[in-house]
Amino acid sequence: MNVIEVENLHKRYKDQVAVDDVSFEVRAGEIFGILGPNGSGKTTTVECVSGLRTPDRGTIRVAGIDPLRERDALHRVLGVQLQSAALPDKMKVGEVLDLYASFYPDPADWRELLDRVGLGAKSDSMFGKLSGGQRQRLSVALALVGKPRITVLDELTTGLDPQARRDTWELVEQVRDSGVTVVLVTHFMEEAERLCDRIALIDSGRVVATDSPAGLIGLVGGGKRASFRPSAPVDDAVLLALPEVTDVTRTGDQVVVTGTGDLAVAVTLALAERKIVPGALHIEETTLDDAFVALTGRKPA
């Protein structure tokens, strides 16, 4: 069942088209990623979905609700954490959550929610004293305090160190596992590949493709690469004869073999039969980053 349906969404700012006929659906219970470089129209898209911006044209339904005409009903089903959100430095964590809880007729127990996001000991701490990761956890708690069916998380891990980022990823997975559908806006390829069930890949305001991470990789011929320096000359034909190998290229004395399946094992065994050692052997799999480059023709910003 779709909980969000966006069709031909268009938004222009003066001479710049920010969102150009974007369409996608979000299914109940999934983490749906809106992935693209900075400035690609991701935030404008979710602001329209959240009823915070008025599109020039197109239709949006969130749990059957029109975000612009039924704002009160929207707030009962949708929780939002926006990238630009900020709070007064001297406001205490508990005060913030108590205030936000007062906006809803049947809010979650905010003390229990604080424990759930790992901030149980920070109720009396001022917002200005929180670390970046703690602020993002608080943002998630604020998005969940109204007990929404769906939550939008916009660039949740921007500016976080690697450990805080991974801790936040675990929190996002916990939110999904609790039954909340998550719309995750990000420009981090690794984040989208790790977390998302499906992804809308957006570039220059347009949806380039929508699929699972594996499906997007598959669109560009997802496979594996093995690079090595052979200890003795090896003919390309020897490698191309292997069923796992689709291509062989060379750069100086380095051989790069592209293929599928147990590529490394197949290549290593074929070389061993000829008493050739693959020095500096390195294995890579096609990533979402590779898919983005192939589908858009440029590297992500």
Side-chain angles (χ1 to χ4, degrees):
M1 182 181 70
N2 294 331
V3 292
I4 296 178
E5 295 178 335
V6 176
E7 185 174 357
N8 298 326
L9 176 65
H10 190 94
K11 180 66 178 178
R12 174 190 289 271
Y13 299 110
K14 295 184 179 179
D15 295 331
Q16 180 182 0
V17 176
V19 180
D20 192 3
D21 288 329
V22 161
S23 299
F24 60 86
E25 300 86 29
V26 179
R27 300 167 186 163
E30 71 178 345
I31 298 178
F32 183 86
I34 298 180
L35 173 66
N38 292 325
S40 61
K42 305 185 305 297
T43 294
T44 297
T45 297
V46 295
E47 287 178 343
C48 291
V49 169
S50 305
L52 301 173
R53 290 196 184 274
T54 303
D56 297 324
R57 64 174 182 265
T59 59
I60 303 171
R61 291 293 182 271
V62 180
I65 296 164
D66 183 325
L68 293 178
R69 296 180 180 177
E70 305 170 82
R71 290 177 185 267
D72 288 344
L74 179 72
H75 295 158
R76 288 194 288 272
V77 300
L78 181 72
V80 182
Q81 173 271 329
L82 293 177
Q83 184 180 5
S84 58
L87 294 165
D89 282 349
K90 293 187 178 180
M91 200 166 188
K92 293 181 179 179
V93 169
E95 292 173 340
V96 173
L97 273 164
D98 191 40
L99 174 64
Y100 273 60
S102 70
F103 299 157
Y104 299 94
D106 182 28
D109 182 331
W110 63 261
R111 295 171 184 82
E112 181 181 326
L113 193 54
L114 267 188
D115 287 334
R116 185 172 151 199
V117 300
L119 292 177
K122 295 293 181 178
S123 178
D124 292 326
S125 298
M126 290 187 291
F127 179 76
K129 298 294 185 181
L130 299 181
S131 68
Q134 289 168 341
R135 291 185 182 197
Q136 296 300 58
R137 287 175 174 271
L138 176 58
S139 293
V140 174
L142 294 175
L144 297 177
V145 73
K147 296 197 292 192
R149 292 170 51 193
I150 311 153
T151 186
V152 173
L153 305 176
D154 186 10
E155 298 288 5
L156 188 61
T157 63
T158 296
L160 300 187
D161 62 64
Q163 185 57 56
R165 180 171 294 158
R166 280 163 175 75
D167 290 344
T168 304
W169 291 351
E170 291 181 5
L171 177 58
V172 173
E173 290 172 328
Q174 291 169 15
V175 170
R176 187 268 310 279
D177 293 344
S178 72
V180 178
T181 301
V182 177
V183 177
L184 181 70
V185 181
T186 183
H187 66 275
F188 293 118
M189 300 291 159
E190 181 188 3
E191 180 167 287
E193 193 166 357
R194 152 78 186 267
L195 292 177
C196 297
D197 299 297
R198 292 189 308 125
I199 296 168
L201 184 59
I202 294 183
D203 185 44
S204 301
R206 288 180 171 270
V207 174
V208 177
T210 303
D211 209 330
S212 66
L216 290 173
I217 292 169
L219 286 176
V220 299
K224 301 176 182 179
R225 291 187 296 270
S227 61
F228 59 92
R229 291 183 171 84
S231 60
V234 57
D235 195 288
D236 287 0
V238 170
L239 300 170
L240 288 169
L242 301 172
E244 293 86 357
V245 174
T246 57
D247 189 35
V248 178
T249 59
R250 294 175 183 264
T251 304
D253 62 348
Q254 185 179 58
V255 179
V256 179
V257 180
T258 304
T260 57
D262 293 329
L263 180 66
V265 173
V267 169
T268 302
L269 289 175
L271 295 175
E273 289 176 359
R274 291 159 179 80
K275 296 183 169 49
I276 298 174
V277 177
L281 178 64
H282 182 66
I283 309 298
E284 292 181 348
E285 292 198 26
T286 303
T287 65
L288 200 55
D289 196 272
D290 297 322
F292 180 89
V293 172
L295 291 168
T296 66
R298 65 189 183 92
K299 291 187 177 294

